[in-house]
Amino acid sequence: MPTAEKNRAFRLSKRPTGLTEEPGLELVTTEVPVLEDGQALVRTLVLSVDPSSRIFMSDIRSALPPVQEGAVMRGLGIGRVVASRRTDLPVGALVVLSTEVGDSDH
């Protein structure tokens, strides 16, 4: 069951080719699901945007597999826990966001 909380995320809508001015990203809004035991909700405060993003958007082989079209764009960042059902992640804690979380609000 979703909550009233909304999440915005950048999804890869198409792979860029050559020099492009259009990023190939789509901003989508979804509902945040209700937390289950062992989960925490983290609000993104800072996202890293760097040249490796272009590599992840392409189908070029790298240390990580390419982001699939329609998937949330990969990214690193810092966030704050806003709700938690984990004893090791209290509300208010700052956390480093991994590439699997992606470029999104939560």
Side-chain angles (χ1 to χ4, degrees):
M1 171 178 264
T3 65
E5 190 83 40
K6 300 289 185 192
N7 183 51
R8 296 173 303 163
F10 286 105
R11 293 189 185 270
L12 181 62
S13 59
K14 66 178 183 175
R15 296 200 185 284
T17 57
L19 296 176
T20 182
E21 293 180 18
E22 197 172 308
L25 297 173
E26 175 184 16
L27 183 62
V28 296
T29 301
T30 58
E31 293 182 350
V32 174
V34 173
L35 291 180
E36 296 180 11
D37 288 340
Q39 295 181 323
L41 182 63
V42 177
R43 174 82 174 167
T44 302
L45 301 174
V46 178
L47 282 174
S48 169
V49 178
D50 56 65
S52 65
S53 296
R54 177 65 187 251
I55 294 171
F56 299 147
M57 292 170 75
S58 70
D59 56 5
I60 296 172
R61 210 176 149 104
S62 70
L64 295 171
V67 173
Q68 297 300 308
E69 288 186 40
V72 174
M73 187 57 200
R74 185 177 292 140
L76 297 172
I78 297 172
R80 183 178 312 277
V81 177
V82 295
S84 182
R85 294 193 62 184
R86 292 179 56 154
T87 57
D88 61 335
L89 285 175
V91 171
L94 292 174
V95 295
V96 174
L97 304 173
S98 74
T99 59
E100 300 307 314
V101 173
D103 293 350
S104 62
D105 287 333
H106 295 95

